[in-house]
Structure formats: structure tokens, C-alpha cells
Amino acid sequence: ESKWKDFLGTSVLSNQNLEAERLRLEQFISDISHQTKTPMTNIRMYTELMCEEVDNLREHENEASVVKIKKYAEEIARQNERLEFLIDSLTKLSRLESGTLEVVAGPSSINELVKSGIAAVKPKAEKKGLSFVTSSREDKDPVIASFDMKWTLEALINVLDNAVKYSPEGGRIEVALTETEMYAAIHVIDDGSGISEEDATKIFGRFFRGSEVQ
């Protein structure tokens, strides 16, 4: 009877895990559909508008049509960037949820991590006139810690990208490094509006955005 009880208990737990996995997969597929629908619709709409303006330009050689075409082309490029970001994010999510993402920690330079992270988002920052202030000094010995350079850099870039996205034009982003006996911490401080107390507990949810920046 004890063995049967253990067997049935294990079976119930296994079925619960399978059901939970099925629900996660359904949610994941729903996210793919929902998140990619908007930029794809926008790309199609602006492409159609551009075609109409091209026909109008051929007929009337209208300067206003040239301005509109440029505007639509810029919007298509923006929506395409958004779509690429979503597909890239969904690919990473699928790796995380399927357990295929492997984090391999090893001794690496945090100075190099910060430098690479800033370099990745600098083109976007320059478009908004943002400047970076960093506490990492090249003339000192680099700070070494045990971490996976590839995926820690990915995480840092996400944080820096948000700092660029939500900072007002002409602002500055400070990247500070502090050390303790147990760990080293990277602080990213920007001039943005911040996150409300209500939203602070939700920011790591999938595709979550604060109510102020919807």
C-alpha cells in the first residue's frame, strides 16, 4: 500500500508538471502571436501608403509626396527594428524556458563588461544627445569576477538600453561599479522618470511596461 501511495503521488505530480508545461507553452505561443502582430500590421500599412505616394509622385511630381515617402520609410524601418527585437527576445525566452540556455561562469573583467555594454548602446544614446559617465578607470587594475561574459553582457545591455530609451534628450547615464568582499555590483543610474512602487514588483514579467510608458 505504501508503494502504491508513492507511485500514485508521483504520477499526480508528474501530470501536474505536464499540465503546467502545456500552459506555459500556450502562453508562450500567445505572446509570439500578440507581440509580432502590431509591427507586422504597421509595416504592411506604411508600405501601402508609400506605394500610393509613389504613384502620386509620378503623376504630379509633388514635393510633399517625397516628404511623406521619407516619413513612411523611417516608420517602416522603426517597426522592423521592433519586430527584430521581439523575435530575438522570443528566441531567448524559448531557450530559457526549454532549459537549453547554458550559463558558464569564469574569471572575467567587469571593466571590459561595462565597456562592451556601453559601446553596444552608444549609437542610440548619441541620437538622443545622451552622455555616459563611468566610474571604471582604465589606469587601474581591472576588476575580476566569476561570471558568464556573454549572458551577463546581454543582461547589462538590456538595462542600459532601457536607460537610453526612457531618459530625456540631453540627459546623462551613470554606470558605477562598487566592490564588496563577496561580489561586485554594477549600478546604472539615469535621468528617467523612474518606476512606481506599484510597478516595481512586476518589472521582470514578460514584456511588462510601466503604466506611465505604455
Side-chain angles (χ1 to χ4, degrees):
E1 286 178 357
S2 178
K3 287 182 179 180
W4 269 111
K5 183 181 177 182
D6 290 342
F7 172 74
L8 291 172
T10 304
S11 297
V12 169
L13 184 61
S14 179
N15 286 334
Q16 288 174 345
N17 289 338
L18 285 172
E19 181 63 18
E21 188 65 32
R22 185 185 67 80
L23 290 172
R24 278 199 297 269
L25 184 59
E26 283 183 4
Q27 180 65 43
F28 185 63
I29 293 169
S30 174
D31 285 339
I32 292 174
S33 174
H34 175 73
Q35 294 293 332
T36 58
K37 192 177 292 180
T38 303
M40 289 176 72
T41 302
N42 287 338
I43 287 171
R44 184 168 63 251
M45 179 184 72
Y46 282 106
T47 302
E48 290 171 359
L49 287 169
M50 185 185 289
C51 291
E52 290 176 10
E53 290 300 329
V54 168
D55 292 336
N56 184 38
L57 184 63
R58 284 174 181 162
E59 291 177 12
H60 306 98
E61 296 185 2
N62 192 341
E63 183 65 28
S65 291
V66 176
V67 175
K68 286 183 179 179
I69 288 170
K70 184 179 179 182
K71 178 185 174 184
Y72 296 152
E74 288 172 352
E75 186 61 31
I76 288 170
R78 192 175 73 84
Q79 294 295 333
N80 189 59
E81 283 180 11
R82 184 181 173 196
L83 191 59
E84 286 178 352
F85 166 76
L86 286 169
I87 291 171
D88 191 38
S89 297
L90 289 165
T91 302
K92 289 168 191 170
L93 276 171
S94 68
R95 287 177 180 170
L96 282 168
E97 296 199 349
S98 63
T100 57
L101 189 153
E102 185 180 5
V103 177
V104 181
S108 301
S109 167
I110 298 182
N111 303 66
E112 191 63 35
L113 172 69
V114 171
K115 186 178 177 182
S116 299
I118 292 174
V121 300
K122 206 162 189 178
K124 282 185 181 179
E126 288 175 347
K127 286 181 181 179
K128 293 183 70 175
L130 300 172
S131 60
F132 283 96
V133 178
T134 175
S135 65
S136 58
R137 294 182 293 273
E138 299 298 329
D139 57 332
K140 289 202 169 186
D141 293 333
V143 179
I144 303 297
S146 181
F147 61 93
D148 186 307
M149 176 63 82
K150 177 183 175 182
W151 292 113
T152 309
L153 177 60
E154 188 73 30
L156 179 60
I157 289 172
N158 284 341
V159 176
L160 290 169
D161 189 61
N162 277 340
V164 171
K165 193 181 296 180
Y166 298 117
S167 290
E169 291 191 8
R172 74 172 202 162
I173 299 168
E174 181 183 353
V175 184
L177 175 62
T178 59
E179 295 177 76
T180 71
E181 292 184 4
M182 296 294 293
Y183 63 89
I186 299 170
H187 306 270
V188 179
I189 304 120
D190 59 49
D191 295 330
S193 58
I195 301 165
S196 67
E197 191 175 345
E198 293 79 16
D199 291 339
T201 58
K202 308 172 188 173
I203 58 171
F204 292 108
R206 183 182 294 153
F207 301 117
F208 177 78
R209 279 190 174 187
S211 54
E212 296 176 3
V213 292
Q214 286 287 350

